[in-house]
Amino acid sequence: MSAEIDPFHAIAISRLAHSLKAAGRSIIHMEFGQPSTGAPARAIARAHQVLDTDGMGYWESPALKERIARHYLDRYGVTIDPERVILTCGASPAFVLALNCLFAPGARVALARPGYVAYRNSLKALHLEPVELPCGEAERFQITATALERIDPAPDGLILASPANPTGTIIPPAELAAIADLCRRRGIRLVSDEIYHGISYGEPAQSMLQHAPDAFIVNSFSKYFSMAGWRLGWLVVPESHVAAARARMGNLFLTPPSLSQHAGLVAFDCEEELEGHIAVYRRNRALLLEALPGMGLRRIAPPDGAFYIYADIGHLTTDSLSFCARLLEDTGVATAPGVDFDPVEGHRHMRISFAVSEELVEEAVSRLGPWLAARRAEAGLS
């Protein structure tokens, strides 16, 4: 039995970007959701120290699990036992662990469309059925309790992301509470992807643990902590599933890298440096929100958090993949096609990541302006 999953088209865009760069072109990488900054300086210094003094091996850091548990108390007012924290090789294995712990093949799992491409494809790979809920401007591109209640029969599970990828939208606390209540009443198991927590531009996102103590929570050091290449994440599971999650982690993935765990522990205490990154994202976001409407990209999802602009380009194309490839070849600006995130409406959208330096965003704007003007002229638009 095999599962057919869709390609991640942004990877093809990135390969093209790197080949153009190797040929001498100036490339601005805005196609992936990864910070262009590295790990915090003190975390890197700790890694150097460990490399010189520790042979390392398979290991799960008790101190890191305790620090993550304290993070939930400090930030969200939620008390969790450190043993409920499963350290993983990034958020992707954490997500697979959650799905595999909760659902048997054939289970129906609801998720927002648009949404992160790997949600849909991981469900398919595990022989689960994605139940995609179309979420547009009226819903601020997020699942609502009202939409979830209309699914009949009720799905077995629900994947939430707040802030979301590709839109950056955040689910308000009252709506989170309503979704949690509905899931309790209808027996829907919750998986909450909170990988972008810490990156918001108004009210901070709440954790689903504040409303649903038995939710599975996915998080990572890749975004806020700027440690994507270190492959370190975690899964918070209810006590009833700790043994099942540990068995799966040990058999499928063993442990995350020891070096990353040492560095991650120190990264928690580098808030000043990390908040400096958020200040850069905030300026980049403001720059793009000011510049893009003047280039004809006026319909943009509200980027409450994360570091993305999800823009409607339907007035210029019905093929976002070809559009993004041509944009890259003509300007050197790499972006992600919306079809990755929405197989139905995504051909009319593109995602721009602004997790790069302010100077690169300014340069991207200077390249995008004339190019988009030429595309509007081709389409007979002013």
Side-chain angles (χ1 to χ4, degrees), residues 315-329:
H315 56 300
L316 300 175
T317 187
T318 57
D319 183 353
S320 59
L321 180 56
S322 295
F323 183 89
C324 290
R326 182 179 177 187
L327 169 62
L328 171 58
E329 290 169 344

Side-chain angles (χ1 to χ4, degrees), residues 114-129:
Y116 179 45
V117 59
Y119 298 155
R120 182 173 68 251
N121 285 328
S122 294
L123 289 170
K124 289 180 180 179
L126 293 169
H127 302 284
L128 306 173
E129 181 185 344

Side-chain angles (χ1 to χ4, degrees), residues 257-278:
S258 296
L259 187 66
S260 300
Q261 295 181 65
H262 284 290
L265 180 59
V266 174
F268 264 108
D269 296 321
C270 298
E271 186 174 355
E272 183 176 353
E273 182 178 349
L274 296 170
E275 287 299 314
H277 298 167
I278 308 304

Side-chain angles (χ1 to χ4, degrees), residues 127-181:
H127 302 284
L128 306 173
E129 181 185 344
V131 180
E132 295 190 301
L133 294 176
C135 301
E137 291 182 59
E139 299 84 14
R140 298 185 77 255
F141 299 90
Q142 278 284 9
I143 283 177
T144 64
T146 301
L148 190 61
E149 190 152 27
R150 286 197 292 262
I151 303 177
D152 187 26
D156 299 289
L158 171 66
I159 298 167
L160 287 180
S162 175
N165 177 9
T167 61
T169 53
I170 289 177
I171 301 175
E175 191 65 45
L176 273 182
I179 291 170
D181 181 64

Side-chain angles (χ1 to χ4, degrees), residues 167-228:
T167 61
T169 53
I170 289 177
I171 301 175
E175 191 65 45
L176 273 182
I179 291 170
D181 181 64
L182 178 67
C183 288
R184 273 191 294 270
R185 288 192 285 109
R186 302 193 77 191
I188 302 169
R189 299 308 304 261
L190 268 165
V191 178
S192 181
D193 183 352
E194 301 181 358
I195 192 172
Y196 294 101
H197 276 217
I199 308 174
S200 59
Y201 309 104
E203 290 298 313
Q206 288 195 346
S207 173
M208 201 54 173
L209 285 178
Q210 296 170 263
H211 305 281
D214 62 345
F216 279 61
I217 307 298
V218 174
N219 210 324
S220 167
F221 284 81
S222 294
K223 311 302 182 180
Y224 176 77
F225 294 96
S226 195
M227 295 176 66

Side-chain angles (χ1 to χ4, degrees), residues 59-73 80-88 221 232-236 242 246 256 261-262 264-265 268:
W59 178 61
E60 187 182 36
S61 167
L64 181 55
K65 294 189 332 185
E66 289 171 6
R67 184 65 184 84
I68 290 170
R70 180 154 61 90
H71 167 75
Y72 281 93
L73 181 61
I80 63 170
D81 187 327
E83 287 307 302
R84 291 175 55 193
V85 177
I86 311 296
L87 299 177
T88 61
F221 284 81
L232 181 62
W234 70 86
L235 177 67
V236 179
V242 168
R246 291 207 173 283
Q261 295 181 65
H262 284 290
L265 180 59
F268 264 108

